[in-house]
Amino acid sequence: MLWTVLLALLVLLLLQTQLSVCLRELRTGGSSSPAYSSSSSSSSSSYNATQQRLPGAIIIGVRKGGTRALLEMLNLHPDVEVAKAEVHYFNIEEHYRRGLAWYRAQMPLSLPGQLTVEKTPGYFAAPQAPARVWDMNPAVRLILIVRDPAERLVSDYTQVLHNRLTRHKPYLPLVELLLHKGHIDTGYKALQRSLYHQHLARWLEVFPREQIHVVDGDALIRDPFPELRKAERFLDLPPRISPNNFYYNTTKGFYCLLSAGHDKCLDESKGRPHAPLSAQAFQKLCQYFRKPNKLFFEMVGRSFSWC
């Protein structure tokens, strides 16, 4: 009888121990498994959502027209991610041969619903660029920012001059490059870049006019907000950029940006004083651009206050 009771107690003890182990495992599994699953799912979702995407919009030019300022201003928008450096994918053969995977790898990380924007002003004057951009994405939106072509030319020369002097290399005065026997030298590359109508004609052979938005670069410098609001509408972005995002820096002589309590100004290369050019030579330049400018105005359906 005693042995029977002891055996029953022993069996009961073993059952209680086994039950405690099962309950502990059940509680542990119940608390940790969903947490692990949630963490894994969240990590996977985050990884899949944040990707490098091909641009939905490209600032194609013009060189020395205000492309960097425009890119930084668009970057104020929470739904925009911008490529920090000029990629030169569509206009440099060595880059283009690397393929779309390489081009995508130059883009910033973005979330679904965000717009990736790239800017390379060299695209505008590159004959091969329009068809290549179309092959990448026929629906891509293109932004062209223009300024007075005569002022743009002088700014173009000034940048090249600065780069040459920095490397201790000589460079001819602007008037010697611009004029030949008292007449405009039409072979001067900086002048050719300012013939906007010629370059835009190549883009319009590939893209419809409504897919190309023209920004007034001179107006962008004078008062950025109206031009940014037009760009938001063109890009189908909700209006998030406001006049409070800009303040005029009297020291630099142009507008700087404000976002989340932090200010940002373009570097010292922006607003650099222009290289000298006589009033007579500049007037010849303005006269030369009258007909090309008129053709450009007709193409874009608007005029600009240029010299």
Side-chain angles (χ1 to χ4, degrees):
M1 182 66 179
L2 181 60
W3 284 108
T4 302
V5 173
L6 289 175
L7 183 59
L9 290 173
L10 181 59
V11 170
L12 181 61
L13 182 61
L14 288 173
L15 289 173
Q16 287 178 331
T17 302
Q18 185 64 36
L19 180 61
S20 297
V21 171
C22 291
L23 289 173
R24 184 167 61 250
E25 288 180 351
L26 184 61
R27 285 195 300 268
T28 302
S31 62
S32 67
S33 178
Y36 172 81
S37 174
S38 173
S39 173
S40 174
S41 173
S42 174
S43 174
S44 175
S45 173
S46 174
Y47 176 79
N48 290 331
T50 306
Q51 299 176 2
Q52 290 170 298
R53 294 174 168 84
L54 291 172
I58 302 176
I59 301 174
I60 59 174
V62 298
R63 173 171 159 146
K64 303 308 297 177
T67 57
R68 172 55 61 182
L70 178 60
L71 186 78
E72 295 293 346
M73 291 173 185
L74 286 174
N75 198 33
L76 292 168
H77 200 289
D79 294 342
V80 170
E81 292 291 343
V82 304
K84 302 302 181 184
E86 295 177 7
V87 183
H88 292 277
Y89 175 66
F90 300 104
N91 66 323
I92 292 183
E93 297 303 315
E94 179 185 353
H95 292 176
Y96 192 69
R97 285 196 295 267
R98 293 175 178 175
L100 274 180
W102 179 86
Y103 182 51
R104 187 194 300 271
Q106 313 311 307
M107 297 300 116
L109 292 170
S110 64
L111 293 167
Q114 286 188 310
L115 177 70
T116 297
V117 180
E118 190 243 318
K119 80 101 176 171
T120 299
Y123 292 157
F124 183 54
Q128 70 275 33
R132 289 177 173 181
V133 174
W134 174 272
D135 288 341
M136 186 269 296
N137 180 7
V140 69
R141 302 189 186 212
L142 306 173
I143 299 179
L144 173 66
I145 177 169
V146 294
R147 62 185 291 200
D148 185 315
E151 294 286 351
R152 193 221 66 81
L153 182 152
V154 179
S155 182
D156 195 329
Y157 169 85
T158 302
Q159 177 174 294
V160 176
L161 173 66
H162 176 79
N163 293 340
R164 299 276 295 190
L165 293 178
T166 300
R167 300 195 300 270
H168 306 288
K169 293 184 177 182
Y171 201 53
L172 290 173
L174 175 54
V175 68
E176 294 186 31
L177 293 169
L178 182 61
L179 299 179
H180 179 67
K181 296 181 179 180
H183 299 285
I184 296 291
D185 184 353
T186 58
Y188 180 35
K189 285 186 177 181
L191 179 116
Q192 293 173 353
R193 294 189 191 104
S194 282
L195 298 176
Y196 302 152
H197 71 292
Q198 291 184 359
H199 309 305
L200 181 59
R202 285 195 295 266
W203 287 89
L204 291 177
E205 289 175 358
V206 179
F207 287 93
R209 172 66 184 89
E210 58 270 18
Q211 218 163 308
I212 304 175
H213 177 64
V214 179
V215 175
D216 185 339
D218 298 308
L220 186 76
I221 298 302
R222 291 192 305 267
D223 185 10
F225 175 68
E227 291 299 317
L228 265 294
R229 179 50 51 87
K230 294 174 190 174
E232 281 180 324
R233 287 196 291 265
F234 171 72
L235 297 172
D236 285 337
L237 293 169
R240 295 290 182 269
I241 301 172
S242 78
N244 295 330
N245 287 123
F246 308 97
Y247 75 95
Y248 190 78
N249 187 308
T250 54
T251 303
K252 290 182 174 290
F254 52 78
Y255 278 87
C256 296
L257 314 181
L258 280 173
S259 178
H262 301 287
D263 66 339
K264 180 176 182 178
C265 286
L266 297 176
D267 62 36
E268 64 277 2
S269 70
K270 309 303 177 185
R272 182 185 289 136
H274 281 179
L277 182 67
S278 69
Q280 183 182 10
F282 190 81
Q283 188 58 37
K284 284 188 176 183
L285 191 58
C286 290
Q287 290 174 355
Y288 176 83
F289 280 128
R290 282 177 185 170
K291 184 176 180 180
N293 289 349
K294 185 173 182 292
L295 293 171
F296 178 72
F297 297 162
E298 291 172 356
M299 295 172 77
V300 299
R302 60 186 289 199
S303 60
F304 299 85
S305 300
W306 295 340
C307 72

